[in-house]
Structures are given as structure tokens and as C-alpha cells.
Amino acid sequence: MFSPTALRPRYAKWLIATGLFLVLSGCVEKPNTLERVKEDGVLRVVTRNSPATYFQDRNGETGFEYELVKRFADDLGVELKIETADNLDDLFTQLGKPNGPVLAAAGLVSSEKRKSQVRFSHSYLEVTPQIIYRNGQSRPTDPAALAGKKIMVLKGSTHAEQLAQLKQKYPGIEYEESDAVEVVDLLRMVDEGQIDLTLVDSNEVAMNQVYFPNVRVAFDLGDASNQSWAVAPGEDNSLLNEINAYLDKVQKNGTLQRLKDRYYGHVDVLGYVGAYTFAQHLQQRLPKYEKHFKNYAKAEKVDWRLLAAIGYQESLWQPTVTSKTGVRGLMMLTQNTAQAMGVSNRLDPKQSIMGGAKYLAYIKEQLDESIEEPDRTWFALAAYNVGGGHLDDARKLAAKEGLNPNKWLDVKKILPRLSQKKWYSKTRYGYARGGEPVHFVANIRRYYDILTWVTQPQLEGDQVAEGNLHVPGVDKSKPNPETPPL
């Protein structure tokens, strides 16, 4: 048996060792934010579900902010996980929560109020706040002219802060802040005359104006501002320093400018082309690819004229075009779709048409069995444009509205709602330019109808066959500029 006196030296040594361990443990620093991100292998980012920031289309996840922050995550060698906030206040609340997003990438402009909530990175995009009015209405030319107008802006936005400051000088200015809308909703409301004015940044106007023909810029309100990313407040600068280094790099190597050009440098205009131009293309372009449309359409059991109509809507039968979103070729296939359909070269018109035919047949096969022809074809075209997920969202919304989710006539009424926050916030796949597939299908149906007419075996009157393709008997002289489009 050990005596108590014999145990004392051992016990004392144990206490000393334990004490030293605890002291040394206390000296070990906790990992900083950047280290935690790399250890977890995940960069958690909060953003807005809007066309200028982040949304899903037929190419998958996209948006200016998404692409910029995705490249940052790739640079860090980690996975990107996106969370969307219901509104701006919610976005700032989420940032920095335990196990929550560590970065906000949402087209944010710094202000004194916001600087008390977050820390901002270097800027990456210069924007100008603009007063927006409806064409045909009296155009305000200065802040004093805002008095007495019905104005709405995003709740918690720097635009609301601007109007609050103006109201001190011009008490007649009244405005509403809403967290139930996004910028695209505000532009639509001006376009439709639901509100008189709104205040949005110039980049969002440039991206969306084509979809709202009545929207006009009245004047710039104040100087240009800079958009930045934001991180939680505190003294840990590890992630912020890495962000700033990355933004400086993409500014210097041209990546940032290429993204700006892609999203804001030009506008993708949808719509019909003139009858004269279409007739020209029937004669000059389609004969080069007609046999490929026929062969691959036959192999996939689809109408070749429908396939050709898709090709015209997508590229005007031009095999080497590339869109701002990276889809390429005569049938404008995404990289993922091309690979899935066995296309190795999207700029090869034969391969592109083959891929388009396979993809159309695949989409039709994936549709719910309850959808019958001809609606099945129109649904397939819509999914070709906007993606099957968004189409399912629209069908579910149609059913909730008491409409028939299997009828294109009903669902096309609902699709544009996917660009309105009060509707897309209730869906699985979120924001989409829901008006685009409606135009897409309408255009293709028009081209298909014309192709069906001009390729009939028996032609009447003065119609002739040129280059093995029947074309309408059109006046070969150039049309009057005032001639309305198809």
C-alpha cells in the first residue's frame, strides 16, 4: 500500500503538468475566418435573388455577382454555397451569424449607416442612382419635381436613405419602402403605371430596360457610387484582405471587365425580325443546313421545321455565334448540354443541330405524362429556353390559381410572374425571366408556321422553289423602314 506522503510528489507533478497544458492550450489561437473557410472547404455567401446578382436559368446558376464570387471560391479552392435573403435587412442580419454566411455579394453600395453594420471591400462596379419614370408622363428634371409623385424603393436600400435626405429639403416628397419587391418589380410597376417613379442603380436599368418598353431615365440623382462586397464587423481582417487581393487581381487581369461587358455591355433584344429579312435568310442560310435539320429531326422523331425554327430563333441560322451567357452555335447549346448530347464542337453546325434535336426530344420525354400534344411541344420549347425547374414552378403556380397546368394557354399567363418577387419567392427555383420563354415560344411558333407554309409540296400562285427550299413569293426590293415587323 502506498502511503499518502509517497503520493504527494507524484500528485504535485500531475498538477504542474496539467496546469502547463491548460496554459499552453489557452495560448493556441482560434483559426481566423479565412482559415475556417479553407478548413471547412466551403465559402458561404448571402446574396439577393435578382437578375443582376444571382438566379437560375437554363444554364444553371448565373448572375453577375454569382460569377464573380464563384471565381473567388475557385481561387480559394473551396465549394461555393449560396444563400438568398428575403430583403436587404435580412441580408445584413444573416451576415456573420454562427455557421452562417461570411460574405455578402449583392450589389451593395456603402453608406454611413451600413458602415456601422458591416465592413466593405474594395469596389468592383461603379453605378449611378437614377430616377425612373414612365414614357408619356411628365418627365421630372430635378429633385424638387419628385414632390407629389407616387414613389417606391426597396426597403433598407441606399436609395431610401437618399430620399430621406431629400425629404428634409423638399418636404413634399413622399415615398414608400417595400421589402416585398425587387428592382425588376419596381421597373415593371413604373412600366405599367402602378407607381410614378422609382430610384434604381444604372446597371439594373441597363440590364432590364429592354423588357419594359415604357421605362425611361429621368435624371441621375447624385454622384456615381461604388458597389462592394461586405463582411461582418470585427477585427478579423483575414477574409477581407483576401477579398481585396482577389478584386484587385480580376480588375488588373481583365476578368472583371469581361464580366461587365457580358452582363451590362449590351442588351439581348428579343422579338420578331422583318418579313423581308426572314425571307432573305430562308433563301441564303437555311439551304446550307436543311438536310441536317431533316436527318436529325427524323432520327429523334421531331418535326424538322420546328427544329429549324428553334435554330432561327436562337442564332438566325448562324453557326459561329456566342451569346453573353456562353451558349454557342447554331442551336445555342450550353457546354453541359452539348456534352450530355454527345456534341464535341458546338460551332460545327451539323453537330449543333444533332445536339439540339436530341435535347428537344429529351426534354419532351421528361415532361409529365399528363401533358398532351400540341401543348407538350410548347412546354418543351419553354423548358428549352428557361429550364424544366422554372417551368414546373409555373405549372404549380397555375394550378394554385385554378388554371390548367397542362395547357400552354394557361401556363404562359403565369410564367411572367417568375420575375416578380411576391411570386418567385414562393417557388422552388426562384427568380427567372419568365417573359422570355413566352416570347421564345411565340416566335418559334411564328417561324414554324411560315416554314410549314413555304415547304408544302404543292405551291400556288407565284411562289417558287429556290435552292431546293420553297420560299414565299416576296417583293425582292428592300422594304420601307416604316413597315411594321412580323
Side-chain angles (χ1 to χ4, degrees), residues 191-391:
D191 184 76
E192 296 175 354
Q194 297 180 37
I195 57 177
D196 297 324
L197 307 170
T198 189
L199 177 58
V200 299
D201 287 330
S202 53
N203 65 313
E204 306 236 34
V205 179
M207 173 172 279
N208 292 294
Q209 190 170 20
V210 65
Y211 303 105
F212 305 107
N214 297 312
V215 161
R216 296 290 186 276
V217 176
F219 61 91
D220 294 346
L221 187 62
D223 298 327
S225 303
N226 292 312
Q227 291 187 348
S228 305
W229 288 347
V231 299
E235 297 181 355
D236 182 353
N237 292 319
S238 58
L239 181 61
L240 186 59
N241 290 339
E242 193 77 9
I243 289 170
N244 287 335
Y246 163 75
L247 291 175
D248 291 346
K249 181 184 74 172
V250 294
Q251 175 77 51
K252 186 176 181 179
N253 66 20
T255 299
L256 186 57
Q257 188 58 48
R258 285 192 292 273
L259 281 177
K260 291 177 183 177
D261 290 343
R262 177 171 161 188
Y263 282 92
Y264 305 122
H266 61 280
V267 178
D268 185 12
V269 180
L270 297 175
Y272 304 138
V273 297
Y276 173 80
T277 304
F278 185 63
Q280 273 192 320
H281 292 166
L282 278 172
Q283 298 171 36
Q284 298 169 3
R285 296 181 181 177
L286 184 56
K288 303 173 188 176
Y289 313 115
E290 183 179 351
K291 64 179 180 181
H292 301 317
F293 282 121
K294 288 181 175 178
N295 290 340
Y296 290 116
K298 183 178 181 180
E300 300 302 330
K301 298 180 180 179
V302 297
D303 190 322
W304 79 267
R305 295 163 298 191
L306 181 68
L307 193 62
I310 296 173
Y312 190 76
Q313 171 65 22
E314 291 284 41
S315 69
L316 302 182
W317 296 324
Q318 299 176 99
T320 60
V321 293
T322 301
S323 83
K324 65 178 184 180
T325 57
V327 290
R328 309 185 75 188
L330 195 146
M331 299 300 288
M332 297 300 269
L333 302 175
T334 67
Q335 183 67 53
N336 290 340
T337 299
Q339 290 177 351
M341 299 300 118
V343 174
S344 59
N345 181 5
R346 288 183 288 169
L347 300 185
D348 179 340
K350 184 177 179 180
Q351 288 193 42
S352 184
I353 292 169
M354 175 198 72
K358 285 185 174 183
Y359 188 47
L360 179 63
Y362 170 78
I363 291 172
K364 287 187 73 172
E365 185 180 349
Q366 297 303 307
L367 291 173
D368 194 297
E369 293 181 357
S370 60
I371 303 173
E372 300 178 351
E373 292 289 4
D375 297 279
R376 193 173 188 85
T377 293
W378 313 141
F379 278 111
L381 292 176
Y384 192 104
N385 176 260
V386 78
H390 290 305
L391 181 63

Side-chain angles (χ1 to χ4, degrees), residues 150-154 176 178 181 186 189 195 197-199:
K150 186 176 182 181
I151 305 171
M152 182 183 289
V153 293
L154 296 186
E176 178 184 352
S178 175
V181 297
L186 296 175
M189 293 170 79
I195 57 177
L197 307 170
T198 189
L199 177 58

